[in-house]
Amino acid sequence: MKKTLDEIAKAIQGRVVGDGALLIKGIGSIKDAGPGDLTFLANPKYLPLAAKTGASAIIVGKDVLIEGKTVVQTEDPSAAFSRVVFMIKEDFTPRIKGVHPSAVVDPSAEIGEGAGIGPCVVVEKGAKIGRRTVICAGCYIGQKTSVGDDTLVYPNVTLRENVTVGSRVIIHSGTVVGADGFGYAMVDGVHHKIPQMGTVVIEDDVELGACVTIDRARFDKTFIGQGTKIDNLVQIGHNAHVGRHCIIIALAGVAGSCHIGDHVIVAGQAGMGGHLNIGDGAVIAAQSGVIKDVPPGAKMFGTPAKEYRTAVREMGLVSRLAEYVAQIESLEKRIKALEERTR
């Protein structure tokens, strides 16, 4: 990239304070950027680093100034910087066209106009692949599975039978959608498999990270709502419902038949028990274990998860237990001494 700062500011609806003619050749972090680079400042705690950065210019918030530095003032520095990254980054998005000779596509499968089927892909009987959708090398598309338009499926993804994936979905490598739900019945001391006859429905604009597993329902469907983003190594159990525009971060687990509302945030390593209701807009903090329903808008933390402020206060008290024990022991000694004197 070689653009003037004025050109970049215009593209991100920013305002240059300083030398708009600066030629920007690259981007970098506030710590590592050098001459010719553009960086950004979104968190005020990094202001001391901004004053020392080697970058030629910094994207900052509205009305922010840094002495001795040329800045581009924006409403949202992080979002503006992301737009700059998309402007300049080398695009490695797979652009497969047509069906690779090594792919195995059942004659009954429907391949949409402009779709790409990569090397060693298997597309089973009755499957449907949408227009301009790309299925990369080594993927498996099961019988009667439907994938919408403009979807990108990275290598080595498995979409089992009778699964529905919407349009503009991104699925990263290693993910499995539609594996059997984990259901067994104990009969005479032996675990017997319960058939999982349902499906998985993934709506439009969802992104699934690497090695996500979404189990098919016992009956009806496991559901992932429009615009939801799921990080790597997340497990979604059978018959779970994840609402629209949720964020579920790495290593989280959602047990079977758990219902998560819209705009919910589930932080890393958090777990939700089965048959729970997580209300719209709730936030589940990292490593929390949810064992009861969560009301809309609540912020929960801890195991078992409690209202955030209550949980933090209790953790603070627990951290002082040794101090409290010492105080109690001291008081007991003083009481005993007083009792002996009054005998």
Side-chain angles (χ1 to χ4, degrees):
M1 178 185 76
K2 287 187 179 181
K3 292 182 180 292
T4 68
L5 198 58
D6 280 336
E7 289 174 321
I8 293 171
K10 183 177 179 180
I12 61 175
Q13 291 81 52
R15 185 173 79 92
V16 176
V17 180
D19 184 3
L22 278 173
L23 192 62
I24 300 299
K25 303 176 182 179
I27 57 173
S29 72
I30 204 161
K31 291 182 180 179
D32 301 325
D37 287 342
L38 178 67
T39 190
F40 77 106
L41 174 70
N43 191 328
K45 78 177 186 179
Y46 294 114
L47 195 55
L49 289 176
K52 300 175 183 177
T53 185
S56 293
I58 309 169
I59 297 176
V60 297
K62 188 178 180 181
D63 301 325
V64 174
L65 294 171
I66 301 171
E67 186 177 356
K69 298 292 183 182
T70 293
V71 300
V72 182
Q73 295 175 336
T74 64
E75 292 290 339
D76 186 336
S78 182
F81 189 71
S82 294
R83 292 200 296 273
V84 174
V85 172
F86 278 113
M87 286 168 55
I88 69 168
K89 78 181 186 77
E90 188 174 357
D91 188 1
F92 291 103
T93 303
R95 302 193 183 280
I96 301 167
K97 296 290 185 182
V99 179
H100 192 275
S102 66
V104 178
V105 179
D106 189 275
S108 67
E110 298 181 20
I111 309 299
E113 182 182 355
I117 308 297
C120 302
V121 169
V122 175
V123 182
E124 295 279 21
K125 181 179 179 180
K128 296 180 180 180
I129 308 299
R131 295 171 298 172
R132 300 174 301 279
T133 283
V134 172
I135 310 294
C136 293
C139 291
Y140 175 85
I141 312 298
Q143 294 186 43
K144 297 185 178 180
T145 283
S146 173
V147 182
D149 299 337
D150 300 297
T151 286
L152 173 58
V153 182
Y154 279 100
N156 300 317
V157 167
T158 296
L159 305 179
R160 284 264 303 267
E161 67 279 1
N162 199 33
V163 163
T164 300
V165 176
S167 296
R168 301 175 302 281
V169 172
I170 300 172
I171 305 179
H172 292 272
S173 296
T175 286
V176 177
V177 177
D180 288 358
F182 193 72
Y184 297 88
M186 177 72 79
V187 179
D188 298 327
V190 176
H191 293 293
H192 291 264
K193 186 175 180 65
I194 297 172
Q196 306 292 302
M197 306 298 292
T199 185
V200 177
V201 174
I202 297 173
E203 290 196 327
D204 297 343
D205 302 302
V206 168
E207 182 161 2
L208 305 178
C211 298
V212 171
T213 52
I214 303 176
D215 290 348
R216 70 175 54 251
R218 182 178 181 185
F219 304 110
D220 196 18
K221 62 181 176 290
T222 304
F223 177 84
I224 310 295
Q226 180 181 9
T228 283
K229 314 300 182 185
I230 299 179
D231 196 4
N232 303 336
L233 297 166
V234 169
Q235 157 68 9
I236 308 293
H238 60 178
N239 286 97
H241 174 107
V242 178
R244 293 171 173 84
H245 305 291
C246 294
I247 292 288
I248 302 182
I249 300 171
L251 298 170
V254 179
S257 298
C258 181
H259 187 284
I260 295 176
D262 298 338
H263 297 280
V264 171
I265 297 174
V266 179
Q269 297 185 325
M272 271 131 289
H275 302 274
L276 299 180
N277 286 299
I278 313 298
D280 293 350
V283 176
I284 312 300
Q287 295 191 330
S288 296
V290 181
I291 60 173
K292 63 180 182 180
D293 291 351
V294 174
K299 186 174 182 181
M300 308 294 286
F301 176 54
T303 301
K306 301 177 183 179
E307 190 276 328
Y308 186 85
R309 287 171 296 183
T310 299
V312 170
R313 186 166 59 250
E314 290 180 357
M315 286 183 65
L317 293 172
V318 169
S319 70
R320 298 181 63 184
L321 274 179
E323 178 185 339
Y324 296 147
V325 169
Q327 289 177 355
I328 292 168
E329 289 175 345
S330 175
L331 289 170
E332 286 176 338
K333 289 177 181 178
R334 291 169 64 186
I335 291 169
K336 185 176 180 181
L338 287 170
E339 287 175 342
E340 288 176 350
R341 272 190 244 147
T342 56
R343 283 178 186 167

